[in-house]
Amino acid sequence: MDLKVLVEQFVAPDNAAEEQNDGLNKLLIVIHQKQVTLQELVNNLGDYLTNSDEILRSRGTELLALVLERLPTLRIEQAQAGLLIQFFGSRLSDFSSLPNVIKGLRALIVTHHRPADPLVTTDEVVRIVQLIFEDVPMRALPVAVRGAILKMLRFIVESYPAATKALETDFIVGYLRMIDGEKDPRLLMDALSFFPDLCQKYFPNTHPSFAEEMFEIAACYFPISFNPKSGDPKAITKQDLINALKSAFTASPFFATFSIPFLLDKASSSPSSTVAESMEWIQYCIGNSPTSIFHGEEGILLLRTLATTLCAQVLESKENAADSLSCIIGVTEGISSDKEVLSRWIEMIFKHSLGIVPPSGTFGNPKNNNARSIKNGQNRSIIIALASATLESFDIVQREVLPVALNTFVLDEDWIVTVTSMLRCAARLNAVGTLKSLQIVPWEQEGKVPMGTDGVTACIDYITRGLKIERKSTKSIQLAKAAVVGVPIILDFIRNSETRNSGISGETVSEEDLKRWKQHANELMYLVSKETISGNLGNEGVSALGNLWEQRHADITPHFQEFLKTNSGNELKEGLSILLNLAKSTPAAVDSIVQLIVPLLASKPDDSGLVLSVLAQSIANTETTSLGVEVITELLRISPQLSFETAISVQNIVSRVTAATSVENQERIFQEIVLPMFVKKDFSLVGSHNKLRYAGTCPIKGKHSHLRKI
């Protein structure tokens, strides 16, 4: 077949696409079968490759590039490759042929790459990269061509180490120019994802000089604003771009000097949605960077800027306070592995942002400024955020805060909240041993806390004092309500101490410690039960009692039994009201509450209406109950002692309990209660018509099916 004819068939711009493709395919076959050599093809393309007509020149270049691309096993001599590289390199400034020139270069550098015997020399690769950076107008090219260039550049860095080393600075500068302002989502994702390898693997010593330029290229895309194509499973998502940008932000520790101030500025001058995202990114950047970014003069200045800005957001902006507190926690978690940085971070926040002077000879004196600064509500939220992050941060904060809080002579609601919050942190972090290691020594001998009391005991004592205070004023009642919030936390804390009791420095909790703390806990439960039932602690008491009920209801029930037994009228009404609120807020308590209430129907007939109302509402506030048989048995047992009207109400409650219990329990109710009554024909309890109505709510199966006729 005539080679010239095949070349013209493809190159001729007037030919249909089908005819052009046919010519290309035939040409590929004869070259693959070695009927035609690469040199012969180039000779026949000569006039087209240098033609003054842009279309013919581009088509000729495309044919050569396609042959190189479609025949990856084509044997090419190094001398031939050198001439081809030289040709394609010279055409990088020919804009009309540029897409096909890139295709040809990719074929030689990527498709025909032979690691053991390189086809393209290091010098040739270096020269091509330099020419691309000098001559290619990246922004003016189609997406596909830009993508091909970026992929080729990445391949060169990964597969031609000698060329990469020779390029060094030129490559970083040129690559940044190539991707600057890129808007295609897929190309952008690929370019940003390459930053970590560029910085850490290929140019670890060179990139620091260009850290600011590299970061600025990435920073212009924050925050990501992108709406992906709908219905395309292969489309780039917004999260893909976010992940790529995050990897670019943390590609190098040298970026932290720029990324953290940049994100802080975004957080303080952007809409609330961007503020939250900025705070989350700060945490990510610090969590994925070495703590060494906060070493040295620049690192310390960066840490101080971070502390000052975040605290100001908490103290001055209610709208951004929650996000800023979360960021403080995240930063603290990210640096806790470095004791020096962590200590400096907490000291900066205490001293420069909250006005809390580091420990001195008068630190334990609650009359000094530290006491006022610590218990301030806004300051306290920052302090607790620091304490809640890690065991290491809790240990530092507790030594600054608790000696002041626990040495106060006069009970204070703010101090109770502070101590309770610290206990909550300790419980969540399993910091029992760490808190126990803290020795609370009064700053004066007449202090209320015994000399050398451990931190756990001192905290429990303080909460207990709040509950024992006489209710002589609104302030004292508020103190008690603040203290009761801490009781469930104390119990949770003690329960955790039985299984995970080591401290940050290996401190352990002894059996004697546990025994002493449990005695305190029992006293607190008694106080909470007594004061809540008496109506002294309001909703706070009910809430605390609900938490305690789930943990220790067996220890609390006797207090209720005694109260319900010895009171009637308004006092009983108040007690039942508390039980009803407890049933609403704590579904797990419903069964025990019902068992407490049912006996009152017989023992307090004058209050049966009130009791029935609370009973019905308690059961209505749970979707299921495990009582079933026991509740119904007790209700039916006492029914003969009730008036007909009350018995009818009991009947409705029985139906409700039956419907709420399991199918297995329904069968048991029928077998053990309903069936024997029919056998005995004992319908006197609530009237035969009601008994029959109740029987209809139970499953009647198998051998009992004849009862359906009754």
Side-chain angles (χ1 to χ4, degrees), residues 639-693:
S639 290
Q641 307 169 42
L642 306 176
S643 66
F644 183 79
E645 290 76 13
T646 304
I648 293 297
S649 298
V650 168
Q651 174 71 41
N652 293 330
I653 293 174
V654 165
S655 298
R656 189 173 297 169
V657 173
T658 304
T661 194
S662 64
V663 173
E664 292 77 9
N665 269 351
Q666 289 181 11
E667 179 69 21
R668 183 181 165 199
I669 291 167
F670 175 77
Q671 295 281 354
E672 297 182 10
I673 303 173
V674 180
L675 185 58
M677 289 179 179
F678 276 100
V679 172
K680 294 178 182 179
K681 297 185 178 180
D682 182 6
F683 304 132
S684 61
L685 296 179
V686 294
S688 61
H689 60 290
N690 286 314
K691 180 51 59 187
L692 285 170
R693 185 157 62 93

Side-chain angles (χ1 to χ4, degrees), residues 85-86 88-93 105 124-136 177:
I85 284 287
Q86 185 177 358
F88 284 124
S90 67
R91 293 302 172 87
L92 282 169
S93 57
L105 287 172
E124 289 168 343
V125 171
V126 169
R127 183 56 185 156
I128 288 299
V129 171
Q130 290 173 337
L131 288 172
I132 288 174
F133 289 156
E134 291 171 7
D135 298 336
V136 173
R177 186 177 69 82

Side-chain angles (χ1 to χ4, degrees), residues 50-321:
T50 58
N51 201 292
S52 59
D53 186 294
E54 291 183 351
I55 297 177
L56 291 176
R57 191 169 66 248
S58 175
R59 295 289 295 171
T61 305
E62 182 180 11
L63 179 57
L64 179 58
L66 285 172
V67 168
L68 294 173
E69 181 184 69
R70 300 280 184 89
L71 298 175
T73 59
L74 179 66
R75 180 65 182 174
I76 304 174
E77 300 298 330
Q78 193 173 65
Q80 287 180 311
L83 291 173
L84 290 170
I85 284 287
Q86 185 177 358
F87 165 73
F88 284 124
S90 67
R91 293 302 172 87
L92 282 169
S93 57
D94 180 2
F95 187 78
S96 62
S97 300
L98 189 53
N100 298 315
V101 169
I102 296 298
K103 189 179 295 182
L105 287 172
R106 277 199 71 206
L108 290 168
I109 293 173
V110 179
T111 307
H112 291 273
H113 175 59
R114 303 190 300 240
D117 181 24
L119 181 64
V120 183
T121 66
T122 297
D123 289 343
E124 289 168 343
V125 171
V126 169
R127 183 56 185 156
I128 288 299
V129 171
Q130 290 173 337
L131 288 172
I132 288 174
F133 289 156
E134 291 171 7
D135 298 336
V136 173
M138 194 68 166
R139 297 281 70 76
L141 296 174
V143 170
V145 180
R146 299 202 305 272
I149 293 173
L150 293 178
K151 287 179 180 178
M152 181 170 63
L153 290 173
R154 184 163 185 167
F155 184 85
I156 288 171
V157 170
E158 294 171 344
S159 305
Y160 292 85
T164 301
K165 185 176 181 180
L167 286 163
E168 283 285 350
T169 299
D170 289 344
F171 187 90
I172 294 179
V173 173
Y175 185 79
L176 293 180
R177 186 177 69 82
M178 291 280 109
I179 65 173
D180 188 15
E182 180 59 63
K183 290 182 171 57
D184 179 76
R186 188 172 296 278
L187 297 189
L188 179 61
M189 183 184 72
D190 291 342
L192 294 173
S193 299
F194 192 40
F195 269 41
D197 280 347
L198 278 177
C199 296
Q200 300 165 26
K201 189 174 180 180
Y202 301 113
F203 302 106
N205 300 319
T206 308
H207 84 268
S209 302
F210 300 93
E212 185 171 7
E213 290 86 343
M214 293 184 76
F215 175 75
E216 287 179 352
I217 293 290
C220 67
Y221 295 103
F222 180 88
I224 294 290
S225 177
F226 173 64
N227 295 315
K229 296 179 181 178
S230 59
D232 183 359
K234 296 182 179 180
I236 296 297
T237 66
K238 182 177 181 179
Q239 191 58 49
D240 290 332
L241 289 173
I242 288 174
N243 293 340
L245 187 57
K246 280 184 173 180
S247 70
F249 268 48
T250 56
S252 167
F254 293 95
F255 288 1
T257 305
F258 312 106
S259 64
I260 293 175
F262 168 80
L263 292 168
L264 286 173
D265 180 65
K266 286 287 185 180
S268 59
S269 60
S270 303
S272 56
S273 58
T274 303
V275 171
E277 191 171 2
S278 299
M279 295 295 183
E280 190 269 326
W281 278 57
I282 289 172
Q283 297 173 63
Y284 179 87
C285 289
I286 292 175
N288 289 273
S289 299
T291 56
S292 58
I293 63 175
F294 296 118
H295 291 178
E297 290 185 10
E298 286 190 4
I300 292 173
L301 180 61
L302 180 62
L303 193 66
R304 180 174 295 179
T305 301
L306 187 62
T308 303
T309 306
L310 291 179
C311 288
Q313 288 276 39
V314 175
L315 300 174
E316 299 171 9
S317 173
K318 291 182 179 180
E319 185 178 2
N320 301 329

Side-chain angles (χ1 to χ4, degrees), residues 9 12-21 59:
Q9 185 177 344
D14 295 333
N15 289 343
E18 184 178 349
E19 185 177 356
Q20 291 176 343
N21 288 334
R59 295 289 295 171

Side-chain angles (χ1 to χ4, degrees), residues 7-34:
V7 169
E8 289 180 350
Q9 185 177 344
F10 178 84
V11 173
D14 295 333
N15 289 343
E18 184 178 349
E19 185 177 356
Q20 291 176 343
N21 288 334
D22 179 65
L24 172 63
N25 291 332
K26 290 177 180 177
L27 185 59
L28 291 173
I29 291 172
V30 296
I31 294 176
H32 178 67
Q33 294 175 346
K34 299 181 180 179

